[in-house]
């Protein structure tokens, strides 16, 4: 099975620009940031409610807990949200016409319903197509997240935990390597 494309930094910026256009641009940008900056799966993003992202004081959480019911492996996990992602979530929330209730879904379709994982997957695929990024999919952000951590020297065990994987071999399959990275690697010697 062919793996989802891992965009370059320039391709990622182009993708964000494409997805951010139009009436649903802020929502779409939030989707990409949750995928790329937290490594969330499309089903996990679709299942998010505002109470998952906001604490009792309406501040964006530094970490969110995903219940076993929404994760692929059926194991609850903690997702850490960096400063950039917390700013993105706050920016998205501040642009809403009505402050959200904690029980409301974070993402609402144009029909005013919550997204299914499949519908969100199709929407994300359309952004890659519009941006001219063949091979991109809803899993590209997750692969980008894991690859970036690996190439930044983060411990494989930490990456495995952040990805919510049970085995390091699973995490290793997500890491993308290209000629530029291999050239830089041998220059270290």
């Amino acid at each position: 099975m062919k793996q989802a494309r891992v965009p370059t930094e320039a391709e990622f910026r182009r993708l964000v620009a494409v997805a951010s256009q139009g009436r649903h641009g802020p929502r779409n940008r939030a989707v990409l940031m949750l995928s790329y900056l937290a490594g969330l799966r499309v089903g996990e993003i679709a299942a998010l409610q505002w109470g998952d992202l906001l604490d009792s004081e309406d501040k964006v959480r530094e970490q969110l807990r995903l219940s076993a019911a929404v994760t692929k492996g059926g194991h609850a996990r903690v997702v850490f949200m960096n400063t950039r992602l917390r700013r993105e979530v706050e920016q998205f929330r501040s642009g809403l016409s009505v402050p959200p209730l904690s029980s409301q879904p974070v993402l609402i379709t144009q029909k005013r319903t919550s997204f299914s994982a499949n519908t969100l997957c199709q929407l994300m695929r359309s952004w890659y197509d519009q941006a001219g990024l063949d091979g991109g999919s809803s899993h590209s952000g997750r692969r980008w997240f894991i690859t970036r951590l690996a190439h930044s020297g983060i411990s494989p065990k930490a990456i495995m935990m952040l990805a919510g994987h049970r085995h390091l071999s699973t995490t290793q399959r997500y890491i993308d390597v290209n000629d530029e990275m291999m050239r830089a690697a041998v220059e270290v010697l």
Side-chain angles (χ1 to χ4, degrees):
M1 183 164 153
K2 191 172 179 184
Q3 289 191 317
R5 176 186 183 149
V6 177
T8 64
E9 191 66 35
E11 290 171 335
F12 172 64
R13 285 192 301 273
R14 186 167 74 229
L15 176 65
V16 171
V18 165
S20 298
Q21 296 174 3
R23 188 172 104 198
H24 300 291
R27 176 202 66 196
N28 298 347
R29 180 182 174 97
V31 168
L32 285 176
M33 295 306 162
L34 288 163
S35 177
Y36 279 79
L37 300 179
L40 293 177
R41 294 175 180 95
V42 70
E44 295 166 343
I45 297 169
L48 286 175
Q49 295 183 340
W50 281 106
D52 298 325
L53 296 178
L54 304 175
D55 63 20
S56 59
E57 298 174 5
D58 268 352
K59 302 274 189 239
V60 178
R61 298 178 188 273
E62 290 186 10
Q63 57 189 24
L64 63 101
R65 298 188 189 289
L66 296 175
S67 70
V70 302
T71 63
K72 181 178 178 183
H75 302 281
R77 70 183 176 108
V78 174
V79 175
F80 291 85
M81 300 200 316
N82 65 25
T83 304
R84 180 179 174 192
L85 179 55
R86 291 193 313 272
R87 273 195 316 263
E88 292 281 351
V89 169
E90 181 55 42
Q91 181 179 350
F92 172 52
R93 182 183 68 145
S94 67
L96 297 174
S97 57
V98 178
L101 300 174
S102 64
S103 61
Q104 288 180 308
V106 172
L107 305 173
I108 303 290
T109 68
Q110 58 190 13
K111 294 180 181 179
R112 309 295 305 152
T113 63
S114 60
F115 274 92
S116 69
N118 186 48
T119 302
L120 189 55
C121 185
Q122 291 173 29
L123 179 61
M124 292 176 81
R125 179 59 185 247
S126 74
W127 301 334
Y128 285 96
D129 291 345
Q130 291 170 37
L133 300 176
D134 292 336
S137 76
S138 61
H139 225 58
S140 292
R142 188 164 166 75
R143 288 200 66 223
W144 186 89
F145 172 80
I146 292 168
T147 295
R148 294 282 296 234
L149 291 174
H151 291 282
S152 296
I154 304 302
S155 154
K157 179 78 171 177
I159 298 170
M160 181 184 84
M161 300 294 290
L162 288 168
H165 291 150
R166 304 296 261 178
H167 304 282
L168 190 56
S169 60
T170 303
T171 306
Q172 290 173 321
R173 288 193 303 263
Y174 279 72
I175 300 169
D176 188 53
V177 179
N178 60 34
D179 288 350
E180 181 182 320
M181 293 170 191
M182 290 187 288
R183 250 189 304 285
V186 297
E187 288 301 324
V188 170
L189 302 175

